[in-house]
Amino acid sequence: MGAVAIGPLMLSTQHFAAVIGALAFIVVALLMATKVDDRFHSWASLVIVIFPLGSRIGHIIQYPTDFIQEPIRILSVWQGGFSWIGGLIATSAATLLYLRNTRLLAWSSLPIGAAAAGVGIVLLVSAQSNMNIPLPTTSFQTTDGRAIVLGAKLTRPLVLNLWATWCPPCRRELPMMAEFAHGQSSVDFIFANQGDDQSTITTFLNRQNISLDTVVVDADGQLARHYRIRGLPTTLFIGRDGTIQSVEAGELSKETLTGEVSSLR
């Protein structure tokens, strides 16, 4: 759910869709370089660079204050944070400047359309799978000694983060998520540790000076199996009716977290 496993490699659905889109684009563009005009070979190489660069710049422009405060995060592309509109604008401009020919410009729509179709198919299939898994009715213990049942009726939307102390991207995103969660009054956050015992979790959080209101101890990884999670961290955004509204696999950026929480109902 929210990810695709290729051997030991885990890709989020969005990243996998981008890979499929890029492969579709390259295949069609190379065919056109052979059958239509050899300039499509160099044009394809240009677009493969320009699109992600424009996408990243477009995302940064959307959230200028965040990146002015933390400019080093401009390089944190592993967190996600890309704007397809920015990528499309950059690609269109580069295509117009490079091809400069009505006939070639018309042909260029084929590989771009193939890429869009590849991305759309992956996202459509993903959206239709595993999103109806209900909240589990199992009781879990928290690090402060409470017993909670996630399947009990929710009064507010829920962000459920599955993480582990041995997971590097979990360790990187946890301080940001902890700070964000403390600023929320209309959404509940539960941080469900997978695979560690209570002592390990508490020691880690104390050493890192991370404060979390609700930390579930799930040493057996029941939640990961229940939601068919293929890797950590994974964050589920659940509406107050208990239905999953979206799933984000991998390390989250603050902008992605903000956007997902604001859309919860």
Side-chain angles (χ1 to χ4, degrees), residues 5-104:
I6 306 174
L9 178 65
M10 185 191 77
L11 294 175
S12 69
T13 301
Q14 294 88 342
H15 289 161
F16 181 68
V19 169
I20 295 299
L23 289 175
F25 174 84
I26 291 170
V27 168
V28 176
L30 291 180
L31 284 173
M32 288 171 50
T34 302
K35 303 294 184 181
V36 180
D37 192 296
D38 61 4
R39 279 175 286 183
F40 280 113
H41 187 280
S42 54
W43 169 76
S45 300
L46 175 65
V47 170
I48 288 296
V49 174
I50 289 293
F51 184 85
L53 182 60
S55 297
R56 184 61 176 173
I57 292 173
H59 174 75
I60 293 168
I61 291 172
Q62 282 183 280
Y63 302 95
T65 303
D66 290 345
F67 288 99
I68 288 173
Q69 293 174 345
E70 301 176 86
I72 191 64
R73 287 204 306 111
I74 291 174
L75 303 177
S76 302
V77 294
W78 57 85
Q79 295 179 338
F82 295 91
S83 165
W84 69 268
I85 296 177
L88 185 59
I89 291 173
T91 298
S92 299
T95 299
L96 288 169
L97 291 171
Y98 187 79
L99 295 180
R100 300 183 184 181
N101 179 289
T102 302
R103 172 176 169 271
L104 297 183

Side-chain angles (χ1 to χ4, degrees), residues 248-264:
E248 292 286 344
E251 183 179 353
L252 289 178
S253 68
K254 182 165 61 175
E255 295 76 34
T256 298
L257 180 59
T258 301
E260 292 288 0
V261 168
S262 65
S263 66
L264 278 175

Side-chain angles (χ1 to χ4, degrees), residues 150-255:
L150 300 183
K153 184 174 177 60
L154 299 179
T155 57
R156 297 188 295 187
L158 171 66
V159 176
L160 177 61
N161 176 257
L162 274 60
W163 67 287
T165 62
W166 44 262
C167 162
C170 302
R171 296 165 69 104
R172 287 195 300 265
E173 78 172 6
L174 203 56
M176 178 275 294
M177 293 194 71
E179 181 181 0
F180 187 95
H182 285 307
Q184 298 298 308
S185 58
S186 59
V187 176
D188 290 324
F189 276 74
I190 293 178
F191 296 87
N193 181 278
Q194 303 295 285
D196 295 316
D197 59 32
Q198 180 166 337
S199 175
T200 301
I201 298 168
T202 303
T203 300
F204 168 78
L205 293 176
N206 288 338
R207 285 179 177 174
Q208 299 299 317
N209 196 28
I210 298 173
S211 174
L212 302 173
D213 289 338
T214 304
V215 182
V216 164
V217 182
D218 185 9
D220 296 329
Q222 295 181 52
L223 286 171
R225 292 194 300 275
H226 177 80
Y227 284 112
R228 305 171 196 170
I229 299 302
R230 302 189 180 190
L232 300 176
T234 294
T235 306
L236 297 92
F237 297 88
I238 301 170
R240 60 170 50 88
D241 63 353
T243 61
I244 300 171
Q245 294 190 5
S246 64
V247 180
E248 292 286 344
E251 183 179 353
L252 289 178
S253 68
K254 182 165 61 175
E255 295 76 34

Side-chain angles (χ1 to χ4, degrees), residues 70-150:
E70 301 176 86
I72 191 64
R73 287 204 306 111
I74 291 174
L75 303 177
S76 302
V77 294
W78 57 85
Q79 295 179 338
F82 295 91
S83 165
W84 69 268
I85 296 177
L88 185 59
I89 291 173
T91 298
S92 299
T95 299
L96 288 169
L97 291 171
Y98 187 79
L99 295 180
R100 300 183 184 181
N101 179 289
T102 302
R103 172 176 169 271
L104 297 183
L105 289 172
W107 276 106
S108 70
S109 63
L110 286 181
I112 293 174
V119 169
I121 290 171
V122 171
L123 295 180
L124 180 62
V125 171
S126 172
Q128 294 177 340
S129 64
N130 297 329
M131 298 299 283
N132 60 348
I133 298 177
L135 285 164
T137 56
T138 308
S139 176
F140 291 93
Q141 289 293 124
T142 65
T143 53
D144 58 2
R146 290 177 290 142
I148 62 173
V149 178
L150 300 183

